Amino acid sequence: MANRGKLFVVSGPAGAGKSEIVKALLKKHSDVGLSVSCTTRAPREGEINGVSYHFVTEERFQELIDQNAFYEWAHVHQNRYGTLKSAVEEGLNAGRDLILEIDVQGCLQVLKQNPDATGVFICPPSRENLEKRLRNRGTETEESIRVRLGNVAREVNTAYQYDYVIVHQDWDDVSNALEIAVDELYAIITAKRLEKKNRIGFLDSLSESLLK
């Protein structure tokens, strides 16, 4: 029977670069999977239903809430996001390590419900850099940028409740900032895999063989 997989919840302010980091890590390391969330927001250009998100209507989202189908869900910037319990549990029970990339509200819900989950906060190097990243997306309205920046202070204050903090440096200042952040995130995953509690079976077997 495969060991149960580990859940890594990656979050941080919008525009901090968590999506880029997770996408690059999954491309580089095929041994880590992604849990795909549901959302009521409209797809952005290039996003694929079932791959980027499960895009559902407000009515369908409410049905799933009523069915207690979500591991967590939250209102974020006038839309709702949620993680299906069935999708997460299926992957973990199969021994797959999963990354759950969600907003801060949802992350705190997961960490509260699942003490085995590892919280990783992706932090921008400065407010100025965060605003620049939001504007460079080209997908945000001025109103959306204003709302998101207004939430930054509250979101950064939640970082104290996470297990790890990664500072995603400004690409103009650090040319390999994305690569550094990806390597740091994978180092966290590797460290969790190497914890003693995950090596008890091996240690028992080795100790027994040495005593023969």
Side-chain angles (χ1 to χ4, degrees), residues 10 14 45 47 66 122 184 198 204:
V10 178
E45 184 178 353
E47 291 184 329
D66 295 339
I122 307 298
E184 289 178 343
N198 299 315
D204 289 346

Side-chain angles (χ1 to χ4, degrees), residues 8 17 20 26 30 48 54-55 60 64 85 87 96 108 126 130 172 175 178 199:
F8 299 87
E20 293 93 336
L26 295 173
S30 61
I48 301 172
H54 296 294
F55 296 101
R60 178 55 181 157
L64 291 169
K85 293 178 182 178
R96 184 83 162 151
L108 295 180
S126 67
L130 182 62
D172 292 335
S175 61
L178 179 59
R199 291 292 185 264

